[in-house]
Amino acid sequence: MRVVRPRWRRKDVDAAKQRMEATVPATAGLFVPPPAGKYSAKRTMVDGYLFDSKLEARRYGELKLLMLAGEILWLCVQPVFILEGGVTYRADFLYRRNDGEVIVEDAKGKDLQVSRNKRKQVLARYGVEIQLWPAR
């Protein structure tokens, strides 16, 4: 059995390319940051991580410096805790200090009731207390 392939004429190829280019948006392939959140927090990209606010990005820079200085052994960015009913809580940082203490931290400009409730659920389910930064 012989397979017959259609022969494309140059004008058919050019027309197909034009149709494809017309359907691809002009911003394809470019990073377009998502719009600002409800409380005007500016999303910030640092070291390939997209942080929800400049406050969170600044805290990441501080923790990175502490890790370079040897104060912190390791740093995990945006760890996820799975709660009841498939709800998740994404903290900002999880790190281990030299003395062996493991700290979970959340950088908050405005602490909402939803966040407080989720932190209580993380404490009840995992026994992990999430610290707020800056400390209030």
Side-chain angles (χ1 to χ4, degrees):
M1 176 187 253
R2 183 175 168 201
V3 177
V4 179
R5 294 187 181 150
R7 292 193 177 173
W8 285 75
R9 294 179 293 192
R10 186 72 197 158
K11 68 178 187 174
D12 295 334
V13 172
D14 291 339
K17 281 174 81 175
Q18 286 178 351
R19 282 194 306 272
M20 287 175 44
E21 289 172 357
T23 60
V24 176
T27 58
L30 300 176
F31 172 73
V32 178
K38 185 176 179 180
Y39 295 98
S40 300
K42 304 270 190 243
R43 293 198 173 187
T44 308
M45 176 84 68
V46 179
D47 291 344
Y49 296 110
L50 181 62
F51 295 106
D52 290 335
S53 66
K54 288 182 180 180
L55 176 74
E56 190 178 334
R58 189 174 74 216
R59 182 59 179 163
Y60 171 72
E62 291 175 3
L63 290 173
K64 205 165 99 173
L65 286 175
L66 287 172
M67 195 164 74
L68 289 173
E71 299 279 328
I72 294 176
L73 297 177
W74 51 262
L75 172 65
C76 177
V77 178
Q78 299 175 343
V80 175
F81 295 91
I82 299 172
L83 303 174
E84 307 298 327
V87 177
T88 60
Y89 181 76
R90 183 176 52 88
D92 293 333
F93 307 105
L94 170 70
Y95 59 92
R96 183 171 181 228
R97 295 191 332 200
N98 272 346
D99 59 3
E101 184 178 4
V102 176
I103 297 176
V104 180
E105 215 172 62
D106 216 358
K108 291 281 183 200
K110 184 172 179 105
D111 191 22
L112 301 175
Q113 186 64 44
V114 173
S115 179
R116 285 190 288 258
N117 290 341
K118 285 185 177 183
R119 284 197 311 271
K120 287 177 187 176
Q121 288 178 342
V122 169
L123 180 62
R125 183 165 188 168
Y126 296 102
V128 174
E129 185 172 347
I130 297 172
Q131 298 179 2
L132 291 182
W133 187 86
R136 291 181 165 79

